[in-house]
Amino acid sequence: MQERSRPNKTRNEVRTARTRAALIDAARQLFAEKGFVATGTPEIVKLAGVTRGALYHHFADKNALFQAVVEAESRQVATEISQATASQDSAIQALRDGSKAYFRAMQGPGRVRLLLLDGPSVLGPATMQRIDEEGAGSTLKAGLQEAMAAGELSKVPLDALASALNAAFDRAALDIAGGQNASNSEAAIDAILGGLFR
C-alpha cells in the first residue's frame, strides 16, 4: 500500500512545487515592473496560470507572496557573489570581487526595487535584516570574518562592521540604479575596504 501511494505523493509534490514556483515567478515579474502597491493578486494568478484558490493555498496573502519573492532574490544575489569569489585564495581579493559581484547582481531588472525600496517598506526592517543575513549579507560577513582570521583585515567588531558596510553597499546600489556611474561606486567601496586592509 505504501509503495503504491508514494508515486501519487511524488506527483502531488511536483505539482505543488510547480504551482508555487509559477506564482513566485509571476509575482516577481509584476512586483519588479509595477511595484508592490500597484500589483494586484488577480493579475498575479492570471500571469501564473493558476486559480486564486491556489494562491491562497500556498501563501496567506500578497505580503507573504512578496516575502517569498524577496527571499528568492536575496538568495540569488548571494549565489552570484559566492560564484564570483569561489576561486579566490585571498580573503581581501574575495571581498573586492564580491563587492563587484554584488553591484552586478543588483543591476538585475527590478532587483533594487524589490530588495532596497519595496522590501523594507512592505516587510519592515527586522524582516529585511533577517532575509539579508540569510542571503547576500551572510556572504559579506563570512568574507570579513575570513579576512580577519587571516590577519588581512584590521580587527573591528564584526557585526557592526558588516552592518555599516551593508548600508554603504545598498546606498551605492541605489545610486547606480539612479544613474550614477557604477565604476565610481565600485571605486568608492573599494577605497572603504582598502582602509580596513592591513
Side-chain angles (χ1 to χ4, degrees):
M1 256 332 241
Q2 287 179 340
E3 287 180 11
R4 246 183 238 157
S5 66
R6 184 61 193 156
N8 289 335
K9 188 173 181 188
T10 301
R11 279 196 294 273
N12 288 340
E13 287 170 352
V14 169
R15 191 180 311 114
T16 295
R18 282 185 185 156
T19 301
R20 184 179 171 84
L23 284 163
I24 290 173
D25 289 346
R28 192 250 180 257
Q29 182 180 327
L30 291 167
F31 288 143
E33 286 174 7
K34 302 171 66 174
F36 177 83
V37 173
T39 300
T41 54
E43 57 190 325
I44 294 171
V45 297
K46 183 178 179 183
L47 184 60
V50 302
T51 65
R52 196 170 174 83
L55 169 61
Y56 291 111
H57 173 74
H58 291 280
F59 301 99
D61 53 22
K62 188 171 86 164
N63 283 50
L65 176 55
F66 179 73
Q67 182 170 327
V69 169
V70 169
E71 287 170 345
E73 287 299 301
S74 183
R75 283 193 301 271
Q76 182 57 36
V77 171
T79 297
E80 291 179 36
I81 293 169
S82 295
Q83 288 171 346
T85 59
S87 61
Q88 273 300 339
D89 293 329
S90 162
I92 288 175
Q93 194 55 49
L95 282 167
R96 285 187 155 135
D97 290 350
S99 71
K100 289 176 184 171
Y102 171 77
F103 291 128
R104 281 195 306 272
M106 289 303 290
Q107 289 176 54
R111 201 164 268 167
V112 164
R113 169 180 259 170
L114 291 168
L115 294 178
L116 302 182
L117 298 173
D118 283 2
S121 80
V122 173
L123 302 175
T127 298
M128 285 306 298
Q129 182 177 348
R130 177 190 59 75
I131 290 170
D132 186 61
E133 286 172 355
E134 293 171 358
S138 68
T139 61
L140 175 60
K141 192 170 180 179
L144 292 170
Q145 193 166 25
E146 189 177 327
M148 285 183 195
E152 298 176 333
L153 195 65
S154 302
K155 294 279 186 184
V156 178
L158 181 62
D159 289 341
L161 178 60
S163 180
L165 287 175
N166 253 332
F169 276 106
D170 290 351
R171 179 69 249 179
L174 285 165
D175 289 343
I176 292 168
Q180 183 168 295
N181 186 296
S183 297
N184 291 343
S185 293
E186 288 177 12
I189 292 292
D190 198 57
I192 291 170
L193 290 173
L196 297 168
F197 299 150
R198 286 180 171 171

